[in-house]
Amino acid sequence: MTDTSRSRPTPAMLAQQNEASAPERINGAQAIVRSLEELGTDVVFGLPGGAVLPLYEALYESTRLQHTLVRHEQGAGHAATGYAQATGKVGVCCATSGPGATNLVTPLADANMDSVPVVAITGQVGKDLLGTDAFQEADIRGVTMPVTKHNFMVTSPEQIPAAIAEAFHVASTGRPGAVLVDVPKDIQNMELDFVWPPKFDLPGYRPVTKPHPRQIEEAVKLIAESKKPVLYIGGGVVKAEAHEELREFAETYDIPVVTTLMALGAFPESHRLHMGMPGMHGTVPAVAAMQRADLLIAIGTRFDDRATGHVESFAPEAKVIHADIDPAEIGKIRAVEVPIVGDAREVLSRMLKAYRREELPAPTTGKWLDYLESLQEEFPLGYQEQPNGKLAPQYVIQALSEEVGPDAIYCAGVGQHQMWAAQFVIYEKPRTWLNSGGLGTMGYAVPAAMGAKAGAPEKEVWAIDGDGCFQMTNQELVTCAVENLPIKVALINNGNLGMVRQWQTLFYEGHYSHTNLKPKESYLPDFLMLAEAMGCAAFRVTREEDVLPTIREARKINDRPVVIDFIVGEDAQVWPMVAAGTSNDEVQYARNLRPLFDEDSAGEEPAEIHEVMQDQEQATTPTAPEEQN
């Protein structure tokens, strides 16, 4: 998906530089724990069962590894993902065989889609029982092969150190992803002579991180010639830790920046060059920047359908420079003039050097920026008033952002609240926005926030969740309470599967088929009682004037998790919007939006803005010399 390899060596790579230790006689389970310790792991998220009891005995003896006991294996996988996204380190989870392992499938697919380095260690039935449909046997390698970057079956105890080290190496280099290591129970009990570091045996795995100089030269020439360039930035820039190089490049050449859903925080959103998030629910300036550009400088992004809309009409006048660590992504969706395979930080750094070496002129982007700034003024984000005095969810999230600030970590589930969190929280720094982008996994937010808090305990961590998502994985609040992980949950409770309801409103004539989660006007389920039963502090907010005071009260509580149940209007919708399968030119903007914290309203209906974009571009684009006569 994204260009993600970091330039600095990983723990697995560093291990190869050390001299081998003296052999030590231990069993396979102890070898797993020792390998994790040597690779710098500090926390493992998991749930024990019969096929991993030897591993849990070894964890019991460890003084260096902390184990977080989740309430469901899916929570372990999402926690490992949140940990990895927040810290940049490899997240680790473990589960027993059969149903324990299959409960990890969704978070492994999720992590792999979003290029997150996660290693899952699963127990398996004994080698002599493989293939016999033994109790709690499942072919987890076969099940997860399509949704992991790689996976291993350990068939002898001597393989364990190399398997764990290779899993970390594969997960965290090149395009990061999820890796599974399956270890039969009898192998965990067998002894081996443990030696560290082990030797890698990964024939054919040689990810390219350094871009080809000729492609860099071609790229900077195109940039110098462009009049309407845009930096189209994906999550690979965050994972490559290339945010400083990105800012330097954008500022040096005065190029506008759009950041995808997975890249929020890679470029400061308060910066004058930042146009917002592109795509289905992106800002109008970001969508227009892509559609009207003459050059897309795509770094660490995969041209996802939610960003491009109808591909044939996407950025019709633009040439494309596409840099990605994964060569399979280049040209997969959109034809490319300059393909660059390499690490995002290396690419940006080398383009800066090449530009200066060649003494190329900066692109003349003044009129281009004027056009985009006019769209920022014409189409700001806002929200619609909710009937019967109900809270507008956008107001809640904006208030949270203003009160908590850009240093916190924000995790979102999937749906309307995810899009509002992307739109109305101001992200100034990388690794402060965690969400399930590619797979769109409901139930992600609470366990991911738990993992983020475990990895960055000094950070304030907020899960912005919907009531539909929350009911899938809220049991991990018990884990947070028991393990002293005081996350805070802003529950955007509209009593519905909100995004599905929005589509039913717009495209299915208001036929709300099985999207209502709340019977009549009750508070069932009562999330306050539920949260308190799980060891959390809990609040309910129904009035606008109580939003900020309650957020401030929640921030004072740091000895247990906090849940704030914000009761919001069920008919709030996410705007702007590009309907699925349509052109980004057909982006719609709800003209009756109330600007945040402002009483004025334009009083117009949602409208397509294709003509407005064209009219404003023509007003700010100079006439060509041959047309002036």
Side-chain angles (χ1 to χ4, degrees):
M1 170 183 160
T2 50
D3 177 359
T4 49
S5 177
R6 291 189 299 278
S7 299
R8 65 170 182 265
T10 66
M13 294 164 66
L14 289 172
Q16 297 298 295
Q17 301 171 12
N18 300 331
E19 291 188 10
S21 62
E24 180 182 358
R25 196 71 177 171
I26 58 178
N27 68 26
Q30 292 168 326
I32 294 172
V33 171
R34 284 288 302 277
S35 299
L36 292 174
E37 291 173 342
E38 293 290 346
L39 289 163
T41 304
D42 51 12
V43 61
V44 176
F45 303 93
L47 188 70
V52 284
L53 283 178
L55 173 59
Y56 272 79
E57 179 68 13
L59 285 168
Y60 181 81
E61 297 169 351
S62 175
T63 58
R64 294 167 58 185
L65 276 183
Q66 176 185 337
H67 179 271
T68 296
L69 176 61
V70 299
R71 268 53 186 175
H72 191 284
E73 290 91 354
Q74 183 178 351
H78 290 317
T81 300
Y83 173 94
Q85 288 177 311
T87 65
K89 298 170 65 177
V90 175
V92 181
C93 56
C94 62
T96 193
S97 63
T102 58
N103 279 340
L104 289 176
V105 172
T106 295
L108 288 174
D110 178 89
N112 209 52
M113 281 280 280
D114 287 345
S115 302
V116 180
V118 168
V119 169
I121 300 168
T122 53
Q124 184 56 274
V125 300
K127 279 179 62 179
D128 59 338
L129 294 175
L130 288 172
T132 68
D133 292 332
F135 177 68
Q136 291 193 333
E137 180 187 4
D139 179 9
I140 197 60
R141 282 199 71 202
V143 169
T144 60
M145 196 168 291
V147 297
T148 55
K149 185 177 178 182
H150 191 60
N151 56 32
F152 300 83
M153 163 69 85
V154 174
T155 57
S156 72
E158 290 77 17
Q159 294 174 349
I160 287 174
I164 301 297
E166 289 167 6
F168 268 63
H169 181 67
V170 171
S172 58
T173 57
R175 173 181 175 174
V179 178
L180 180 136
V181 182
D182 198 32
V183 189
K185 185 176 182 179
D186 54 344
I187 301 298
Q188 297 173 47
N189 284 318
M190 293 179 186
E191 291 191 341
L192 71 152
D193 290 324
F194 180 83
V195 175
W196 193 266
K199 298 296 183 183
F200 283 4
D201 184 20
L202 294 168
Y205 182 70
R206 299 289 185 272
V208 175
T209 59
K210 297 187 186 302
H212 195 286
R214 187 176 301 165
Q215 300 305 96
I216 293 292
E217 291 174 7
E218 291 297 319
V220 295
K221 288 176 184 177
L222 272 186
I223 296 170
E225 295 168 359
S226 66
K227 297 293 187 293
K228 297 186 292 182
V230 60
L231 281 156
Y232 169 30
I233 301 303
V237 169
V238 175
K239 294 179 176 66
E241 298 180 353
H243 48 283
E244 292 180 2
E245 288 79 4
L246 169 62
R247 181 165 183 166
E248 183 180 2
F249 194 89
E251 290 179 342
T252 300
Y253 303 108
D254 224 23
I255 300 175
V257 177
V258 301
T259 47
T260 67
L261 181 67
M262 297 307 298
L264 299 181
F267 192 81
E269 294 196 1
S270 61
H271 198 287
R272 67 179 182 84
L273 292 172
H274 189 258
M275 296 298 130
M277 179 181 72
M280 177 175 282
H281 293 297
T283 66
V284 172
V287 172
M290 304 269 271
Q291 288 301 99
R292 300 288 175 260
D294 64 7
L295 178 66
L296 293 182
I297 310 164
I299 310 289
T301 186
R302 63 186 179 93
F303 289 79
D304 175 71
D305 62 286
R306 285 301 191 260
T308 65
H310 185 246
V311 175
E312 283 71 19
S313 61
F314 171 68
E317 301 171 4
K319 294 180 179 180
V320 177
I321 299 166
H322 190 183
D324 203 287
I325 196 76
D326 185 353
E329 293 295 346
I330 299 176
K332 184 175 79 174
I333 304 298
R334 173 66 183 262
V336 175
E337 276 69 31
V338 181
I340 304 176
V341 179
D343 170 70
R345 188 159 66 176
E346 288 279 352
V347 169
L348 286 164
S349 176
R350 290 177 185 233
M351 283 202 302
L352 273 166
K353 292 177 182 176
Y355 217 115
R356 290 163 179 162
R357 183 176 62 250
E358 299 293 329
E359 297 183 346
L360 294 168
T364 53
T365 58
K367 292 292 184 180
W368 175 228
L369 290 171
D370 288 344
Y371 162 61
L372 297 176
E373 287 168 7
S374 70
L375 292 178
Q376 287 178 314
E377 294 176 4
E378 177 73 13
F379 301 103
L381 291 171
Y383 68 96
Q384 295 162 304
E385 295 281 9
Q386 294 302 292
N388 303 317
K390 289 187 177 180
L391 283 173
Q394 301 95 325
Y395 180 93
V396 171
I397 293 171
Q398 174 73 5
L400 179 68
S401 175
E402 291 199 352
E403 174 62 26
V404 175
D407 290 325
I409 294 174
Y410 301 89
C411 305
V414 170
Q416 287 182 314
H417 65 279
Q418 175 192 27
M419 294 298 101
W420 289 321
Q423 291 175 336
F424 293 105
V425 176
I426 304 301
Y427 301 100
E428 299 286 278
K429 302 176 182 181
R431 301 197 185 279
T432 56
W433 163 244
L434 317 182
N435 83 124
S436 172
L439 197 63
T441 307
M442 292 181 69
Y444 165 90
V446 169
M450 174 175 70
K453 188 66 175 176
E458 75 286 357
K459 293 277 191 178
E460 188 172 343
V461 179
W462 283 83
I464 300 173
D465 215 1
D467 51 316
C469 289
F470 184 70
Q471 291 182 72
M472 293 189 173
T473 54
N474 61 51
Q475 69 273 2
E476 298 310 333
L477 288 173
V478 176
T479 309
C480 292
V482 170
E483 300 285 347
N484 191 29
L485 297 169
I487 68 168
K488 306 181 195 304
V489 180
L491 183 57
I492 307 302
N493 182 1
N494 65 3
N496 282 263
L497 299 173
M499 188 61 84
V500 183
R501 181 184 174 91
Q502 176 168 336
W503 281 48
Q504 288 173 335
T505 299
L506 298 175
F507 310 118
Y508 293 90
E509 300 179 353
H511 299 157
Y512 301 120
S513 177
H514 303 287
T515 46
N516 186 0
L517 297 172
K518 183 171 63 176
K520 299 181 181 178
E521 289 301 316
S522 72
Y523 284 125
L524 291 177
D526 190 324
F527 292 123
L528 270 66
M529 294 179 66
L530 181 68
E532 289 170 350
M534 291 192 283
C536 306
F539 304 89
R540 178 174 290 127
V541 178
T542 60
R543 303 185 307 166
E544 198 170 278
E545 57 265 34
D546 295 329
V547 170
L548 275 171
T550 306
I551 291 171
R552 289 167 182 158
E553 184 65 24
R555 297 189 71 199
K556 297 175 184 176
I557 300 171
N558 290 301
D559 60 347
R560 60 196 186 281
V562 183
V563 175
I564 308 177
D565 185 16
F566 292 103
I567 308 299
V568 303
E570 64 269 19
D571 287 314
Q573 295 189 346
V574 184
W575 298 100
M577 181 176 182
V578 178
T582 65
S583 169
N584 279 353
D585 280 332
E586 298 174 42
V587 58
Q588 294 189 5
Y589 178 86
R591 299 306 297 267
N592 61 337
L593 296 183
R594 166 185 162 187
L596 287 161
F597 305 121
D598 191 302
E599 297 298 331
D600 296 331
S601 174
E604 299 178 36
E605 293 300 315
E608 294 181 4
I609 62 170
H610 183 198
E611 294 181 0
V612 178
M613 291 197 301
Q614 284 186 322
D615 291 344
Q616 292 199 1
E617 183 185 21
Q618 289 166 3
T620 56
T621 303
T623 306
E626 61 270 21
E627 296 174 345
Q628 292 176 352
N629 298 326

